[in-house]
């Protein structure tokens, strides 16, 4: 089945807003077993919309059109569909009734301009939109079923699930039951992941996809049908083994949720001591419900004085080895355990740039510390100078991955080719 996505809107075409709807639609349709063959964006220009509808409907089976259903003069989707069908726009009484009801609940009356949303091509079938005032609709143009959907994501998502997928199943037989199985890695790049996977025998009927989403690399096993899914499930252990300790989570989980499960299971607790990451590690942890069961507190110690006052880092260390050092990172982690009264602590101190670097400690130099009941580990890494934001994101992820590795009982020393280990040491807490 050939499926295409057409996004409308000058703000999308000009780059003023990112096309998040098309991204969501692609992911949603793939998960339903429908492979998207083409995506394109058209501005709010009636002639071009009509031309694209007429052209693409001759080769596609399904076209999802997103946007352009509102009451303003630049909302052309219904008009474009009518032109492509050589039909008139007619007022649909059932949607007029819906509009009257929706507006009455707000103590308002429906204006003539709002009624524009109830004028559709004569042959259209309405797609209900309980979350908005613009109904969706579906028409058949040439060989394609063309579905017109609203722009607001919370309206689009509900309509796709409850209106469009059942219609597709009824009129096109629907896709086979699809599956997507994901393994997310950290520390090995996309090319290396591809090489490792290529050396394995991927089961028939299973496709492999790769996606680099900084700072992770995701590997997906995709296909449709029960037999192919069973083969993919049986192949997963072999894939995990190929990636080794670099697998950080699977499915739709996250590194933070995986840590949460492990920390709660063992009755462990955590505090963070952050300098260059400025609370980013703590924020990522508390993004998840239930984090209060294991995350107790976070210290943002951006200055040397704060590191000394809040965590007890000796002032002599700043003079002798500097704030960005294994010694200071270890002292920060030890202080967070002591003052936070927790079992584990993570510490980060680094130079995120763009200034602050020196010849011996350039931008991207970051020190990490992990205190646990068993040991106190610290390391100094030289990260690539990919800019301040990426250095901070990467530093937070390295710290969280240190905790994961510690809980799994594997080496904490990074093996990634893009991370240079300057020093690494282990001590008793």
């Amino acid at each position: 089945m050939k499926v295409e996505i057409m996004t409308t809107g000058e703000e999308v075409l000009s780059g003023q807003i990112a096309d998040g709807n098309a991204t969501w639609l692609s992911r949603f349709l793939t998960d339903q077993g429908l492979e998207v063959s083409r995506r394109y964006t058209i501005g709010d220009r009636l002639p071009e919309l009509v031309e694209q509808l007429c052209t693409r409907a001759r080769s596609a089976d399904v076209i999802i059109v997103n946007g352009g259903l509102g009451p303003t003069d630049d909302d052309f989707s219904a008009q474009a569909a009518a032109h492509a069908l050589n039909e008139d726009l007619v007022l649909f009484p059932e949607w007029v009734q819906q509009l009257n009801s929706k507006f009455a609940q707000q103590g308002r009356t429906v204006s003539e301009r709002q009624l524009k949303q109830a004028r559709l091509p004569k042959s259209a079938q309405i797609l209900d939109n309980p979350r908005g005032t613009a109904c969706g609709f579906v028409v058949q143009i040439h060989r394609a079923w063309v579905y017109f959907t609203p722009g607001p994501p919370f309206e689009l998502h509900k309509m796709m699930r409850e209106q469009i997928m059942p219609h597709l199943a009824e009129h096109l037989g629907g896709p086979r039951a699809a599956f997507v199985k994901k393994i997310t890695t950290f520390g090995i790049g996309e090319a290396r992941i591809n090489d490792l996977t290529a050396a394995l025998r991927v089961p028939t009927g299973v496709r492999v996809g790769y996606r680099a989403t900084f700072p992770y690399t995701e590997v997906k096993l995709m296909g449709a049908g029960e037999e192919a899914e069973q083969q993919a499930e049986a192949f997963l252990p072999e894939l995990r083994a190929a990636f080794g300790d670099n697998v950080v989570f699977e499915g739709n989980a996250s590194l933070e949720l995986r840590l949460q499960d492990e920390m709660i299971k063992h009755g462990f607790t955590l505090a963070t001591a952050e300098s260059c990451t400025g609370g980013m590690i703590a924020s990522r942890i508390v993004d998840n419900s239930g984090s209060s069961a294991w995350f107790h507190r976070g210290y943002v110690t951006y200055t040397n004085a704060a590191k000394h006052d809040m965590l007890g880092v000796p002032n002599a260390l700043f003079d002798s080895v500097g704030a960005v050092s294994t010694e200071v990172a270890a002292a920060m982690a030890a202080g967070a355990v002591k003052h936070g009264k927790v079992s584990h602590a993570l510490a980060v101190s680094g130079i995120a740039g763009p200034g602050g670097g020196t010849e011996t400690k350039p931008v991207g130099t970051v020190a990490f510390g992990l205190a646990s009941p068993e040991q106190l580990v610290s390391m100094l890494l030289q990260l690539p100078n990919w800019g301040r934001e990426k250095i901070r994101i990467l530093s937070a992820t390295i710290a969280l991955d240190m905790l994961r590795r510690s809980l799994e009982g594997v080496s904490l020393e990074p093996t990634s080719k893009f991370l240079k280990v300057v020093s690494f040491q282990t001590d008793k807490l």
Side-chain angles (χ1 to χ4, degrees):
M1 189 184 300
K2 190 173 182 181
V3 182
E4 299 184 359
I5 298 170
M6 179 191 297
T7 305
T8 70
E10 293 294 335
E11 68 279 6
V12 178
L13 189 62
S14 64
Q16 295 176 54
I17 63 171
D19 194 356
N21 280 353
T23 300
W24 182 87
L25 280 166
S26 291
R27 187 182 306 119
F28 174 79
L29 291 166
T30 299
D31 288 346
Q32 304 303 311
L34 295 169
E35 187 170 357
V36 177
S37 61
R38 188 180 297 231
R39 275 172 35 178
Y40 38 93
T41 304
I42 311 296
D44 295 318
R45 305 161 194 173
L46 182 59
E48 293 182 20
L49 286 169
V50 175
E51 179 187 0
Q52 284 298 314
L53 282 173
C54 292
T55 301
R56 299 311 315 155
R58 294 183 186 279
S59 59
D61 298 301
V62 174
I63 302 174
I64 310 292
V65 182
N66 185 240
L69 297 180
T72 60
D73 291 336
D74 61 350
D75 289 314
F76 289 124
S77 288
Q79 194 174 347
H83 278 283
L85 290 161
N86 197 26
E87 294 179 0
D88 292 329
L89 288 172
V90 299
L91 199 64
F92 276 63
E94 57 266 51
W95 197 251
V96 174
Q97 184 177 351
Q98 288 279 356
L99 286 173
N100 284 328
S101 176
K102 290 172 185 283
F103 276 71
Q105 291 173 14
Q106 304 171 25
R108 302 164 57 199
T109 57
V110 179
S111 66
E112 181 61 30
R113 178 169 293 281
Q114 293 289 350
L115 281 176
K116 177 177 182 285
Q117 297 169 112
R119 291 189 171 90
L120 309 174
K122 186 177 180 180
S123 64
Q125 278 182 254
I126 284 180
L127 300 173
D128 188 26
N129 182 6
R131 294 178 170 174
T133 58
C135 66
F137 65 94
V138 56
V139 294
Q140 191 161 18
I141 303 175
H142 302 309
R143 61 174 282 177
W145 284 102
V146 186
Y147 298 88
F148 291 81
T149 62
F154 66 102
E155 298 177 24
L156 167 67
H157 298 177
K158 188 174 181 67
M159 186 177 293
M160 285 299 302
R161 291 188 177 99
E162 298 182 4
Q163 301 286 315
I164 293 176
M165 291 311 299
H167 187 277
L168 272 174
E170 179 182 351
H171 291 85
L172 292 172
R176 290 182 293 163
F179 65 85
V180 178
K181 300 184 183 296
K182 303 175 187 176
I183 292 179
T184 299
T185 68
F186 175 64
I188 43 179
E190 202 172 13
R192 177 60 178 155
I193 287 282
N194 197 341
D195 288 343
L196 290 169
T197 307
L200 306 176
R201 185 173 180 177
V202 180
T204 303
V206 177
R207 292 180 291 113
V208 182
Y210 308 92
R211 185 167 72 107
T213 54
F214 185 84
Y216 302 118
T217 302
E218 180 184 274
V219 184
K220 294 183 289 187
L221 300 181
M222 301 170 287
E226 185 177 349
E227 183 179 351
E229 184 170 9
Q230 290 173 350
Q231 291 178 333
E233 192 68 39
F235 178 62
L236 277 174
E238 190 176 353
L239 200 59
R240 290 189 200 103
F243 304 149
D245 298 339
N246 294 292
V247 175
V248 288
F249 59 90
E250 296 187 34
N252 294 319
S254 66
L255 175 55
E256 294 75 26
L257 282 173
R258 183 172 181 185
L259 290 175
Q260 178 162 301
D261 289 343
E262 288 298 311
M263 292 289 282
I264 292 174
K265 181 173 72 175
H266 294 289
F268 293 149
T269 52
L270 179 74
T272 55
E274 304 182 60
S275 185
C276 67
T277 48
M280 186 180 289
I281 299 171
S283 177
R284 284 173 56 170
I285 291 171
V286 302
D287 276 344
N288 301 287
S289 175
S291 54
S292 61
W294 65 285
F295 180 68
H296 281 205
R297 67 189 71 193
Y299 301 93
V300 178
T301 54
Y302 206 63
T303 65
N304 292 348
K307 293 177 179 67
H308 173 73
D309 294 343
M310 299 175 71
L311 301 170
V313 178
N315 282 320
L317 286 180
F318 303 128
D319 297 327
S320 61
V321 293
V324 182
S325 61
T326 53
E327 293 85 349
V328 167
M332 289 171 67
V337 163
K338 178 182 177 181
H339 296 288
K341 298 179 175 61
V342 292
S343 63
H344 292 68
L346 289 171
V348 180
S349 180
I351 306 168
T358 66
E359 185 175 344
T360 55
K361 293 181 180 178
V363 171
T365 305
V366 185
F368 300 86
L370 168 64
S372 70
E374 296 80 23
Q375 58 186 353
L376 179 61
V377 179
S378 58
M379 60 186 181
L380 187 68
L381 304 183
Q382 179 60 55
L383 279 55
N385 188 358
W386 289 331
R388 184 178 181 84
E389 181 182 9
K390 285 193 171 183
I391 288 173
R392 294 178 67 237
I393 292 171
L394 186 56
S395 296
T397 307
I398 291 170
L400 289 165
D401 196 50
M402 280 183 73
L403 179 58
R404 174 190 70 85
R405 287 174 170 272
S406 174
L407 294 171
E408 291 182 359
V410 300
S411 172
L412 274 65
E413 190 169 357
T415 58
S416 171
K417 292 183 178 179
F418 61 81
L419 298 177
K420 178 184 176 183
V421 180
V422 180
S423 60
F424 183 93
Q425 61 186 55
T426 302
D427 301 296
K428 291 290 184 182
L429 186 60

